[in-house]
Amino acid sequence: MADSTPKIQPATTGELDERKAAILNAVVAEHIDTAQPVGSNSVAANDAVKVSSATVRSEMVALEREGFLVQPHTSAGRIPTDKGYRFFVDHLGRGVLPQTQHSTLSNFFSHLRGEMEDVLTQTSQMLNEMSNYTSVIIAPSHASATVRSVQVVDLGPRRCVVVAILSDGEAVRRTLELPFEITPEQVNEASTQIASLLFGNTLEQRVEVPSRDTPVATLVREAIASLYRSTPTFEEDRVYIGGSAKVADTFDTVEAVRNVLGLLEKEIVVVNLLEDILQQGLSVAIGSEHGYEPLSTAAVVVAPVTVDGEVAGAVGLLGPTRMNYPEALATAEMVSQQLGQRLGDLIGDR
Amino acid sequence: MADSTPKIQPATTGELDERKAAILNAVVAEHIDTAQPVGSNSVAANDAVKVSSATVRSEMVALEREGFLVQPHTSAGRIPTDKGYRFFVDHLGRGVLPQTQHSTLSNFFSHLRGEMEDVLTQTSQMLNEMSNYTSVIIAPSHASATVRSVQVVDLGPRRCVVVAILSDGEAVRRTLELPFEITPEQVNEASTQIASLLFGNTLEQRVEVPSRDTPVATLVREAIASLYRSTPTFEEDRVYIGGSAKVADTFDTVEAVRNVLGLLEKEIVVVNLLEDILQQGLSVAIGSEHGYEPLSTAAVVVAPVTVDGEVAGAVGLLGPTRMNYPEALATAEMVSQQLGQRLGDLIGDR
DNA sequence: CTTTGGCACTCGGTAGACTCGACTGCCAAA
DNA sequence: TTTGGCAGTCGAGTCTACCGAGTGCCAAAG
């Protein structure tokens, strides 16, 4: 048993002696596989554990005392705690993605075409199908992109739309209600004024706008103000979720499913969650390590997406605490790396 | 019991005599309330039913023979079939939204600001919270919007972005890889050429493009081709879903939850689903009436959103077949009407 | 002919008794 | 220190009995 796809390789042990580590390893691995409490007998059957079940039992008592394992009830096997899982991912097996996955992956990326939105949507779907966990991708922020062009377009009576195009190819669009009619010439005039005012700046760097009171000046002021105004959807559009339906399968209780889905709906929270985890330098957040209540029965695997050496986004997998960490880690890392390359090509040098 | 929010008003009966209708009504109402099979006794207790339980029993046998009810097993009460629900929504009580909801609704809309995306996102969330069902909103299609402006922006070596602004305020953006370097003057030249070629046309009306072989002509051709190319996200962006987490609560089986969530992920399918239902002239699709397998245990309530007298979108609520139809219908209709008005203001005359 | 109360019957669900088996913890011997 | 053995615990499954909700049928009343 426990022959899930990636081979688990023994690694150095930490604060636990080698035997305890081997036992913990065996417990975690089997529990991930079977979702059942693990007893001393099946642990003793593991090749890496070279002692009898009686010894295993006494070691398990110690592991329980130290907080790595819990017993759901007397006369049951044991289940890893969050701390147990943490030790597992820190010290024990790292997965190696089998060749087949590796090649389907590069095959996928070589056939991938289109705008960044499409690339990310498709990647998150693929990632979900590949890992069987819900996938989350955070796209690069537009915060550091600079304005390359601005245009105001007249849409009809007292209504126009202003579009700014950023150096990363993103278009920021705002509609404007004007208190007065305006001529095409004035619209053009405003367009060029705005463009020259904002060109080369990010939308975060606020630019001084002359406050005269002509129609054109008002339009310019209003348009720039609207571009500076951030809309709720702007940050949320960075989130791509693949396979939220999987949540219904991977988590056991309705409660957990509701919580996780509820959180996934709040996309800004998702962005923060992943960024928090990365900021802490983690690649896995287990149980309540990330401090997000609704995810206390979940684990999140994250890999940063680096473009031109800078962290630009993230790839995440979300599952129950007893998710297959070695495999999930390997998959997320692989995908984030490939995706980073791809995004690099897509954005080009700014 | 069965005192859910909207008052249920007796209405004309159809192919069923009045007594059968009253009994069916009672069964459906109580089953919606309790989610349990309904027996002859509780039906007889209903004020609208003026006969004894024995009579109710024999009528229920008839209703079962005619396919309006089923018995999960002998010695259990009865449950409405899809046909039973259908009769209920067609002939029986229509809900009237209580004053409180009505006023929170108009309050909500009067405080609603921002771009269409934001309006729709917030409305779908509000609709979900108000109805406790998963809400779906389909935004107006851009198919009939005409091009008002096109601009090509140089982004760096051999890369540029082309943005078309449509009469409804939408921006269509495509990035382009060029096989050659290009000067700012050429970009401008191309911009104006494309704009004058496409101006006033929709993106569905294909325009003849002169096929010369100069850099500018190539750029023009490529840019127009890219605008005509529809991307996967374009139609999908019309869908706004509020409260997919509710699916976990409203449906009873994991199977159903997975199916529904899986379908909600495929946003194009959601668009088609709602449009199909409206096309059939229905406002409710129960069970398999819509022909979408995964939703065979679900019901969908739809109300068209009309802008300037034309159907421009839809508002939907998705729940189990035993959802509270009177309330859901009333809510969806109310919201769709208000939303239609709001979108009318937002789009203005094109 | 319709409606009704009565009655036998069905069947799901619950509670209790019992068994089985998977564990553990402890202990004495190696 | 490790191990096998053993008693003890407790969940899960099975069996039985029983209760009660609900039906179908029927004969009598309207």
Side-chain angles (χ1 to χ4, degrees), chain A residues 185-202:
Chain A
E185 291 74 34
Q186 290 173 314
V187 169
N188 282 338
E189 170 66 18
S191 276
T192 49
Q193 280 191 27
I194 299 169
S196 64
L197 276 167
L198 296 188
F199 187 92
N201 292 302
T202 70

Side-chain angles (χ1 to χ4, degrees), chain A residues 114-118 121-122 125 128 148-151 153-157 159 161 163 165-171 173-177 229 231-234 236 241-249 254 257-258 261-262 265 344-350, chain B residues 114-118 121-122 125 128 148-151 153-157 159 161 163 165-171 173-177 229 231-234 236 241-249 254 257-258 261-262 265 344-350:
Chain A
E115 302 294 318
M116 184 175 329
E117 291 86 326
D118 305 318
T121 310
Q122 289 180 57
Q125 278 168 21
N128 162 50
R148 297 300 291 258
S149 150
V150 183
Q151 203 183 9
V153 177
D154 190 19
L155 276 192
R159 185 187 306 275
V161 55
V163 178
I165 289 143
L166 305 185
S167 54
D168 61 356
E170 178 70 4
R173 173 177 57 84
R174 297 293 140 78
T175 46
L176 237 51
E177 298 272 352
R229 198 166 52 232
T231 73
T233 51
F234 196 51
E236 299 191 350
I241 292 172
S244 48
K246 279 276 161 46
V247 174
D249 298 324
V254 195
V257 174
R258 190 193 320 117
L261 286 178
E265 267 180 53
D345 298 350
L346 220 52
I347 295 177
D349 7 39
R350 311 192 177 178
Chain B
E115 301 293 319
M116 184 177 322
E117 291 86 325
D118 305 318
T121 309
Q122 289 181 56
Q125 279 168 22
N128 161 49
R148 296 301 290 261
S149 148
V150 182
Q151 201 183 10
V153 177
D154 191 18
L155 275 193
R159 184 186 308 277
V161 55
V163 178
I165 288 142
L166 306 184
S167 54
D168 61 356
E170 178 71 5
R173 173 177 58 84
R174 297 292 141 79
T175 46
L176 238 52
E177 298 272 351
R229 197 166 53 233
T231 73
T233 51
F234 196 53
E236 299 192 349
I241 292 173
S244 48
K246 278 275 161 45
V247 174
D249 297 324
V254 196
V257 174
R258 190 192 320 116
L261 286 178
E265 268 180 52
D345 297 350
L346 220 52
I347 295 177
D349 4 41
R350 312 190 176 177

Side-chain angles (χ1 to χ4, degrees), chain B residues 12-338:
Chain B
T12 59
T13 73
E15 37 176 326
L16 256 37
D17 66 60
E18 203 165 326
R19 196 169 69 185
K20 280 210 183 72
I23 290 174
L24 179 54
N25 186 13
V27 172
V28 173
E30 182 161 341
H31 183 255
I32 284 175
D33 222 45
T34 65
Q36 295 293 323
V38 182
S40 57
N41 270 321
S42 37
V43 172
N46 188 311
D47 285 346
V49 177
K50 301 197 175 60
V51 291
S52 79
S53 67
T55 315
V56 171
R57 283 200 286 282
S58 61
E59 292 289 45
M60 280 164 97
V61 176
L63 284 168
E64 181 163 9
R65 194 174 43 238
E66 295 166 46
F68 293 96
L69 296 176
V70 272
Q71 236 180 335
H73 55 84
T74 351
S75 91
R78 275 155 172 112
I79 284 179
T81 60
D82 290 355
K83 186 177 174 188
Y85 285 119
R86 164 56 54 197
F87 187 88
F88 179 74
V89 306
D90 281 351
H91 301 290
L92 302 167
R94 275 281 145 127
V96 180
L97 221 45
Q99 193 54 39
T100 53
Q101 306 240 7
H102 199 284
S103 64
T104 54
L105 208 62
S106 46
N107 186 47
F108 169 82
F109 275 104
S110 68
H111 288 309
L112 196 55
R113 294 275 175 282
E115 301 293 319
M116 184 177 322
E117 291 86 325
D118 305 318
V119 165
L120 295 172
T121 309
Q122 289 181 56
T123 306
S124 71
Q125 279 168 22
M126 178 277 294
L127 185 52
N128 161 49
E129 281 157 28
M130 188 161 188
S131 69
N132 265 304
Y133 295 112
T134 304
S135 74
V136 179
I137 295 186
I138 310 287
S141 157
H142 307 297
S144 65
T146 56
V147 176
R148 296 301 290 261
S149 148
V150 182
Q151 201 183 10
V152 181
V153 177
D154 191 18
L155 275 193
R158 303 185 179 183
R159 184 186 308 277
C160 56
V161 55
V162 43
V163 178
I165 288 142
L166 306 184
S167 54
D168 61 356
E170 178 71 5
V172 178
R173 173 177 58 84
R174 297 292 141 79
T175 46
L176 238 52
E177 298 272 351
L178 296 177
F180 47 77
E181 297 281 340
I182 197 152
T183 68
E185 292 72 34
Q186 289 174 316
V187 169
N188 281 337
E189 170 66 19
S191 276
T192 50
Q193 280 192 27
I194 299 170
S196 63
L197 276 168
L198 296 187
F199 187 91
N201 290 303
T202 71
L203 284 182
E204 241 88 285
Q205 303 168 306
R206 302 295 144 105
V207 163
E208 279 295 314
V209 184
S211 62
R212 274 169 307 129
D213 213 25
T214 66
V216 171
T218 319
L219 177 51
V220 169
R221 218 179 317 113
E222 290 287 316
I224 292 185
S226 76
L227 286 175
Y228 284 166
R229 197 166 53 233
S230 70
T231 73
T233 51
F234 196 53
E235 271 293 291
E236 299 192 349
D237 279 349
R238 295 176 58 202
V239 181
Y240 296 80
I241 292 173
S244 48
K246 278 275 161 45
V247 174
D249 297 324
T250 46
F251 290 85
D252 337 279
T253 72
V254 196
E255 183 72 10
V257 174
R258 190 192 320 116
N259 282 338
V260 173
L261 286 178
L263 185 125
L264 285 178
E265 268 180 52
K266 304 192 204 93
E267 308 201 321
I268 327 162
V269 180
V270 176
V271 179
N272 292 336
L273 168 65
L274 291 215
E275 285 180 348
D276 281 4
I277 297 175
L278 281 181
Q279 204 122 47
Q280 290 175 50
L282 294 179
S283 54
V284 182
I286 299 161
S288 39
E289 288 179 348
H290 41 59
Y292 287 73
E293 279 283 338
L295 291 191
S296 55
T297 64
V300 189
V301 167
V302 196
V305 175
T306 58
V307 176
D308 300 331
E310 290 206 350
V311 176
V315 163
L317 286 172
L318 197 155
T321 45
R322 41 162 270 274
M323 77 192 286
N324 188 333
Y325 295 100
E327 184 174 311
L329 273 164
T331 314
E333 268 159 24
M334 198 72 229
V335 170
S336 77
Q337 188 197 316
Q338 296 259 14

